[in-house]
mmCIF file of all heavy atoms in Angstrom:
data_model
loop_
_atom_site.group_PDB
_atom_site.id
_atom_site.type_symbol
_atom_site.label_atom_id
_atom_site.label_comp_id
_atom_site.label_asym_id
_atom_site.label_seq_id
_atom_site.Cartn_x
_atom_site.Cartn_y
_atom_site.Cartn_z
ATOM 1 N N THR A 205 57.251 -35.605 56.100
ATOM 2 C CA THR A 205 56.950 -36.435 57.260
ATOM 3 C C THR A 205 57.974 -37.561 57.373
ATOM 4 O O THR A 205 58.158 -38.122 58.455
ATOM 5 C CB THR A 205 55.529 -37.026 57.175
ATOM 6 O OG1 THR A 205 55.346 -37.636 55.899
ATOM 7 C CG2 THR A 205 54.484 -35.947 57.364
ATOM 8 N N SER A 206 58.637 -37.894 56.276
ATOM 9 C CA SER A 206 59.717 -38.886 56.330
ATOM 10 C C SER A 206 60.811 -38.416 57.280
ATOM 11 O O SER A 206 61.286 -39.183 58.130
ATOM 12 C CB SER A 206 60.311 -39.102 54.933
ATOM 13 O OG SER A 206 59.333 -39.516 54.012
ATOM 14 N N LEU A 207 61.191 -37.159 57.155
ATOM 15 C CA LEU A 207 62.203 -36.594 58.050
ATOM 16 C C LEU A 207 61.671 -36.516 59.480
ATOM 17 O O LEU A 207 62.401 -36.768 60.451
ATOM 18 C CB LEU A 207 62.632 -35.210 57.560
ATOM 19 C CG LEU A 207 63.789 -34.540 58.302
ATOM 20 C CD1 LEU A 207 65.052 -35.381 58.245
ATOM 21 C CD2 LEU A 207 64.062 -33.145 57.717
ATOM 22 N N ASN A 208 60.383 -36.203 59.611
ATOM 23 C CA ASN A 208 59.768 -36.155 60.947
ATOM 24 C C ASN A 208 59.826 -37.517 61.635
ATOM 25 O O ASN A 208 60.049 -37.600 62.847
ATOM 26 C CB ASN A 208 58.309 -35.705 60.856
ATOM 27 C CG ASN A 208 58.170 -34.248 60.456
ATOM 28 O OD1 ASN A 208 59.129 -33.489 60.555
ATOM 29 N ND2 ASN A 208 56.996 -33.867 59.987
ATOM 30 N N TYR A 209 59.619 -38.584 60.878
ATOM 31 C CA TYR A 209 59.675 -39.924 61.456
ATOM 32 C C TYR A 209 61.077 -40.240 61.971
ATOM 33 O O TYR A 209 61.242 -40.882 63.008
ATOM 34 C CB TYR A 209 59.226 -40.975 60.436
ATOM 35 C CG TYR A 209 57.766 -41.343 60.556
ATOM 36 C CD1 TYR A 209 56.778 -40.510 60.043
ATOM 37 C CD2 TYR A 209 57.361 -42.505 61.195
ATOM 38 C CE1 TYR A 209 55.426 -40.832 60.153
ATOM 39 C CE2 TYR A 209 56.024 -42.847 61.309
ATOM 40 C CZ TYR A 209 55.058 -41.993 60.789
ATOM 41 O OH TYR A 209 53.714 -42.318 60.917
ATOM 42 N N ILE A 210 62.092 -39.801 61.242
ATOM 43 C CA ILE A 210 63.462 -40.019 61.710
ATOM 44 C C ILE A 210 63.685 -39.286 63.026
ATOM 45 O O ILE A 210 64.195 -39.842 64.006
ATOM 46 C CB ILE A 210 64.482 -39.538 60.660
ATOM 47 C CG1 ILE A 210 64.375 -40.363 59.377
ATOM 48 C CG2 ILE A 210 65.907 -39.631 61.220
ATOM 49 C CD1 ILE A 210 65.262 -39.867 58.250
ATOM 50 N N GLU A 211 63.279 -38.024 63.059
ATOM 51 C CA GLU A 211 63.564 -37.181 64.224
ATOM 52 C C GLU A 211 62.678 -37.510 65.426
ATOM 53 O O GLU A 211 63.147 -37.477 66.568
ATOM 54 C CB GLU A 211 63.397 -35.711 63.836
ATOM 55 C CG GLU A 211 64.409 -35.256 62.784
ATOM 56 C CD GLU A 211 64.139 -33.863 62.253
ATOM 57 O OE1 GLU A 211 62.985 -33.382 62.387
ATOM 58 O OE2 GLU A 211 65.065 -33.251 61.696
ATOM 59 N N ASP A 212 61.401 -37.828 65.172
ATOM 60 C CA ASP A 212 60.447 -37.993 66.269
ATOM 61 C C ASP A 212 60.214 -39.443 66.693
ATOM 62 O O ASP A 212 59.865 -39.711 67.850
ATOM 63 C CB ASP A 212 59.094 -37.374 65.894
ATOM 64 C CG ASP A 212 59.197 -35.899 65.562
ATOM 65 O OD1 ASP A 212 60.159 -35.257 66.027
ATOM 66 O OD2 ASP A 212 58.320 -35.384 64.828
ATOM 67 N N VAL A 213 60.379 -40.383 65.768
ATOM 68 C CA VAL A 213 60.125 -41.795 66.072
ATOM 69 C C VAL A 213 61.429 -42.556 66.300
ATOM 70 O O VAL A 213 61.616 -43.215 67.318
ATOM 71 C CB VAL A 213 59.297 -42.464 64.956
ATOM 72 C CG1 VAL A 213 59.104 -43.951 65.243
ATOM 73 C CG2 VAL A 213 57.945 -41.774 64.811
ATOM 74 N N VAL A 214 62.338 -42.455 65.332
ATOM 75 C CA VAL A 214 63.618 -43.164 65.465
ATOM 76 C C VAL A 214 64.509 -42.498 66.512
ATOM 77 O O VAL A 214 65.095 -43.154 67.367
ATOM 78 C CB VAL A 214 64.351 -43.228 64.110
ATOM 79 C CG1 VAL A 214 65.693 -43.945 64.261
ATOM 80 C CG2 VAL A 214 63.483 -43.925 63.067
ATOM 81 N N LYS A 215 64.628 -41.181 66.437
ATOM 82 C CA LYS A 215 65.498 -40.413 67.339
ATOM 83 C C LYS A 215 66.929 -40.968 67.324
ATOM 84 O O LYS A 215 67.454 -41.434 68.347
ATOM 85 C CB LYS A 215 64.943 -40.418 68.767
ATOM 86 C CG LYS A 215 63.546 -39.816 68.880
ATOM 87 C CD LYS A 215 62.999 -39.899 70.292
ATOM 88 C CE LYS A 215 61.589 -39.325 70.371
ATOM 89 N NZ LYS A 215 61.008 -39.454 71.727
ATOM 90 N N PRO A 216 67.566 -40.918 66.141
ATOM 91 C CA PRO A 216 68.893 -41.529 66.002
ATOM 92 C C PRO A 216 69.965 -40.785 66.796
ATOM 93 O O PRO A 216 69.819 -39.600 67.110
ATOM 94 C CB PRO A 216 69.160 -41.431 64.500
ATOM 95 C CG PRO A 216 68.362 -40.256 64.058
ATOM 96 C CD PRO A 216 67.124 -40.264 64.902
#
Side-chain angles (χ1 to χ4, degrees):
T205 50
S206 302
L207 186 59
N208 291 342
Y209 265 78
I210 296 175
E211 296 172 340
D212 301 337
V213 177
V214 179
K215 300 177 182 177

